[in-house]
Amino acid sequence: MKTIFYLLPVLLLSCSSMKEINHFDKRLLGLEKQIIFLKKNIEIQHEIMKAIEIKLGIRPKKIDGEKGEVLESPSTVDQLEELNSNTPDYDKAVGLYKSERYEDAEIQFERFIRDYPNAELTPNALYYLGSCHFKLANYLLAIIEFQKLTDAFKESDRVPDGLLKLILAYKAINDLESAKISYKRLVKEYGNSDAAKTAIRDIKFEDSDDE
């Protein structure tokens, strides 16, 4: 009994130390998650800036390393010709999406967006690409594409739908603050859209007046 009595403080101290270790482990894990999220946000902003520059036609000229040729952005006429001649590529990608072949559709949409960044159907392609990522539960990748759409193609009819999906993607990774920002933008700027009406009806934020 005396031995147990003397050991009791040691046992209590050990338990206390273990609790502190567990507490610090949880805090460290939380910090690591924040760092990963912040790095991903930086990547997202970089991709958005690239998309905006492409949309405005102010991307820096690229030099062909082999021939030394300066490659210019295509003219509006060239873009229309590209669109008319490559609509089947877009249709193929949409067909894959509707067949629920999301990984194959991703490849096709990425190719279309890369080859025709300023085409009339590019906002639609961005929306579908983001939706492919969303269907596959790749929410951070979905956020990147939906943000490209909503920031670089603000006049597109696809923007309200993109904002709705952006809200859902942010909620899926539990980034409620970003979800609320997108929600407010959707309701304020596109309040008459079906997407805004759906958001108001179906999306709720706990302990918030933002519904």
Side-chain angles (χ1 to χ4, degrees):
M1 286 295 293
K2 290 183 178 180
T3 302
I4 294 175
F5 178 78
Y6 289 128
L7 288 176
L8 185 58
V10 176
L11 292 173
L12 291 174
L13 181 60
S14 298
C15 291
S16 177
S17 299
M18 287 302 297
K19 288 180 180 179
E20 290 181 359
I21 291 172
N22 289 335
H23 174 70
F24 284 120
D25 283 344
K26 289 180 180 179
R27 289 189 61 187
L28 180 60
L29 180 60
L31 290 172
E32 289 176 348
K33 288 182 177 179
Q34 289 181 35
I35 291 170
I36 292 171
F37 181 74
L38 289 172
K39 289 175 65 177
K40 182 56 64 175
N41 264 348
I42 292 171
E43 293 174 6
I44 290 171
Q45 296 304 318
H46 179 68
E47 291 295 329
I48 290 171
M49 289 303 300
K50 285 172 58 179
I52 292 173
E53 289 173 353
I54 289 172
K55 176 65 177 175
L56 297 176
I58 58 175
R59 288 292 291 166
K61 296 177 180 179
K62 297 181 180 179
I63 304 297
D64 188 317
E66 296 180 358
K67 300 180 181 179
E69 297 175 353
V70 177
L71 305 180
E72 301 282 0
S73 299
S75 67
T76 302
V77 174
D78 291 337
Q79 291 172 21
L80 290 174
E81 290 176 353
E82 289 170 351
L83 176 61
N84 291 333
S85 62
N86 289 280
T87 300
D89 295 338
Y90 173 84
D91 293 339
K92 178 181 178 181
V94 173
L96 290 169
Y97 178 86
K98 290 182 177 179
S99 298
E100 299 184 1
R101 295 170 57 185
Y102 302 121
E103 292 180 350
D104 293 331
E106 280 178 344
I107 296 171
Q108 293 298 321
F109 284 121
E110 285 172 351
R111 184 177 300 161
F112 182 89
I113 294 165
R114 181 193 65 215
D115 294 341
Y116 314 104
N118 297 321
E120 184 179 346
L121 290 172
T122 299
N124 282 1
L126 283 168
Y127 174 81
Y128 275 117
L129 178 56
S131 296
C132 287
H133 292 317
F134 190 92
K135 291 285 188 179
L136 295 170
N138 296 323
Y139 300 116
L140 288 175
L141 293 178
I143 288 169
I144 291 173
E145 303 307 330
F146 290 134
Q147 284 199 329
K148 286 181 188 177
L149 165 62
T150 58
D151 288 351
F153 298 92
K154 294 181 180 179
E155 302 303 318
S156 171
D157 292 338
R158 274 295 188 182
V159 170
D161 294 327
L163 283 170
L164 178 59
K165 284 287 187 70
L166 189 57
I167 296 166
L168 297 175
Y170 274 127
K171 290 197 72 175
I173 63 171
N174 204 34
D175 184 357
L176 298 184
E177 289 305 313
S178 296
K180 290 175 185 177
I181 291 171
S182 297
Y183 179 95
K184 289 177 180 178
R185 180 184 169 192
L186 174 59
V187 172
K188 180 179 179 180
E189 298 181 18
Y190 307 95
N192 293 326
S193 67
D194 290 338
K197 294 173 184 176
T198 298
I200 293 170
R201 184 186 69 236
D202 296 338
I203 298 178
K204 306 298 179 185
F205 296 97
E206 294 182 2
D207 301 323
S208 172
D209 297 327
D210 293 328
E211 291 97 308

